[in-house]
Amino acid sequence: GLAPVLVLFHGYGEDPRDVALNTPLFAEALLRGWVVVAPLGGHRYHYGIDYAQENIERTLEVLYARLPLDPERLYAVGFSMGGGAAASFAARHLDPAGPRFAAVVNHTGSTSLVSSWETQGAQDVFESPLMFGATPYIAPFGYRRSSTVEHDAFTNTLSGERHMGLNLARVATRNAYGLFDANFGLVEQTQALHGYLGDTSEEIVLQSATHAWATLDATSTLDWLGGRTLQEPQPEEIVQTLADRSGAWNQLELGLRDENAFGTILWSARPSTDDLYLIDLENVARIDVDLERVGLEPTPGQPLRVMTQTTDGNAATLELSGLGSAPTAVQYAGFAQGTWNYDASRDVLMLEETGSAGWARWTVLP
């Protein structure tokens, strides 16, 4: 069968060779017939910044193009800085056409980069031109998009309302830490991510004061990972997404209005009633929906209803593909006038609101 893939995310100051030497995960996974890779995240102090994640993307593209690998059994384990980077990569990569992690193990990771900036004494690294180029008070979005939670180091509580960890709802996650680890800031960040994820996370408390890869048991970790497969959103399910850039997020393609801010959406496809909900929209200018991909195959003779709702007063343009033929009519009811157009060559129906605040409904008649 297809081989599982294990990606090991290196810690602060490490390079890939160090990972192979410092943890038995590498050797034991190879003995199980897995493909194992430990890419350098651009440099040894990257904290999961954009170009470090792009390095991981390119690495996985090369592997999957050349080897018979299982796309539904892609796993990540990261230690310290790498633990936060692994969780961040999983939260920011939900494109069905790209690499998506089925499960992640975060070992005492830097899951909140603002908190790390405040406590770890590496401000010069964070603020360097190779990283964020400024403090988190001057350039907050870069820090936030590369984190999975916003953790206040001084109160040991979550701060803010939006956490990229929201996107880990369907990713099996383990958060491990040494109970007596002197890096208490990283322990608190790991606990914060575990607490935020709730039932989707397992907490592994190690009776150790050592901050090291090797405190994580390789056999039990690989056993746990090997039992996990990729979980897709299902029809009738309610899906929340926090997008940090335009692109594919689960089954939807989102175009953000401002690329330097998060976009939010809560959506659900209801095949039983031919309804599509696209609500809680903020900073979203365009939504492309492949009806078949979200599980909606319009019932002959039955209208398709699309409900939208925004929180910022800016309407989104909708593009629906997969109707199969032009609608006989499209009705719009809401707070503003709407226009529509059907492109037969692409089988795409475009719905455009001229302005909206609150709820609106489109009815597409076959």
Side-chain angles (χ1 to χ4, degrees):
L2 300 176
V5 179
L6 175 63
V7 184
L8 298 175
F9 287 73
H10 64 82
Y12 186 85
E14 289 187 329
D15 60 34
R17 179 179 58 183
D18 296 324
V19 176
L21 295 174
N22 292 339
T23 172
L25 283 165
F26 209 109
E28 185 167 332
L30 289 174
L31 289 174
R32 295 182 182 216
W34 295 16
V35 171
V36 186
V37 60
L40 182 69
H43 55 76
R44 295 185 295 166
Y45 312 98
H46 61 82
Y47 279 96
I49 199 170
D50 291 4
Y51 58 75
Q53 299 207 5
E54 291 168 4
N55 280 10
I56 309 300
E57 292 171 14
R58 300 293 89 78
T59 299
L60 293 174
E61 285 175 6
V62 170
L63 284 178
Y64 276 91
R66 289 164 171 75
L67 298 173
L69 306 176
D70 191 342
E72 296 191 355
R73 299 180 69 196
L74 175 62
Y75 307 126
V77 181
F79 167 63
S80 197
M81 179 189 75
S88 175
F89 188 99
R92 295 179 67 190
H93 288 79
L94 303 180
D95 183 353
R100 293 175 293 168
F101 283 118
V104 174
V105 177
N106 161 40
H107 182 2
T108 325
S110 48
T111 61
S112 173
L113 299 192
V114 173
S115 183
S116 290
W117 177 88
E118 292 171 337
T119 62
Q120 289 185 247
Q123 286 90 345
D124 57 335
V125 173
F126 285 111
E127 297 170 27
S128 77
L130 290 177
M131 292 292 289
F132 300 109
T135 73
Y137 304 109
I138 295 174
F141 186 60
Y143 288 78
R144 295 172 66 197
R145 75 193 308 183
S146 296
S147 304
T148 44
V149 288
E150 292 187 40
H151 173 258
D152 187 321
F154 302 109
T155 63
N156 191 22
T157 59
L158 291 181
S159 56
E161 298 179 354
R162 296 174 177 169
H163 307 273
M164 287 299 291
L166 175 74
N167 296 335
L168 297 176
R170 288 161 196 82
V171 180
T173 306
R174 266 189 169 183
N175 286 288
Y177 58 89
L179 186 59
F180 309 107
D181 193 323
N183 294 274
F184 63 91
L186 296 183
V187 170
E188 289 179 343
Q189 290 181 44
T190 301
Q191 292 171 330
L193 177 58
H194 168 70
Y196 175 73
L197 294 176
D199 292 341
T200 64
S201 169
E202 292 186 21
E203 185 178 41
I204 305 297
V205 181
L206 308 168
Q207 299 300 312
S208 172
T210 304
H211 189 68
W213 269 103
T215 59
L216 188 69
D217 182 73
T219 300
S220 61
T221 298
L222 295 176
D223 287 345
W224 180 81
L225 288 170
R228 303 301 187 273
T229 57
L230 189 67
Q231 299 299 307
E232 300 270 14
Q234 298 300 307
E236 308 287 340
E237 189 177 349
I238 297 173
V239 183
Q240 287 184 290
T241 302
L242 183 63
D244 73 314
R245 63 197 184 282
S246 298
W249 295 88
N250 291 310
Q251 283 75 23
L252 305 182
E253 184 86 22
L254 303 179
L256 302 190
R257 198 174 304 277
D258 179 0
E259 293 288 350
N260 292 306
F262 289 123
T264 65
I265 185 170
L266 186 152
W267 64 275
S268 182
R270 306 294 176 90
S272 58
T273 55
D274 284 339
D275 289 337
L276 176 63
Y277 290 86
L278 305 168
I279 66 174
D280 195 26
L281 295 171
E282 184 171 340
N283 190 35
V284 176
R286 192 195 78 254
I287 309 171
D288 297 348
V289 184
D290 184 318
L291 296 177
E292 182 179 359
R293 181 177 292 175
V294 299
L296 281 174
E297 297 184 21
T299 305
Q302 182 167 311
L304 170 68
R305 294 182 300 179
V306 181
M307 271 66 70
T308 65
Q309 180 257 335
T310 69
T311 61
D312 62 2
N314 294 309
T317 297
L318 311 180
E319 290 194 9
L320 309 179
S321 60
L323 284 173
S325 61
T328 58
V330 177
Q331 299 173 352
Y332 179 79
F335 296 96
Q337 294 299 313
T339 59
W340 64 279
N341 178 62
Y342 179 74
D343 183 341
S345 65
R346 297 189 300 135
D347 187 22
V348 170
L349 174 65
M350 179 179 290
L351 308 175
E352 186 170 358
E353 299 174 23
T354 56
S356 178
W359 288 82
R361 182 177 70 184
W362 294 87
T363 303
V364 181
L365 302 173

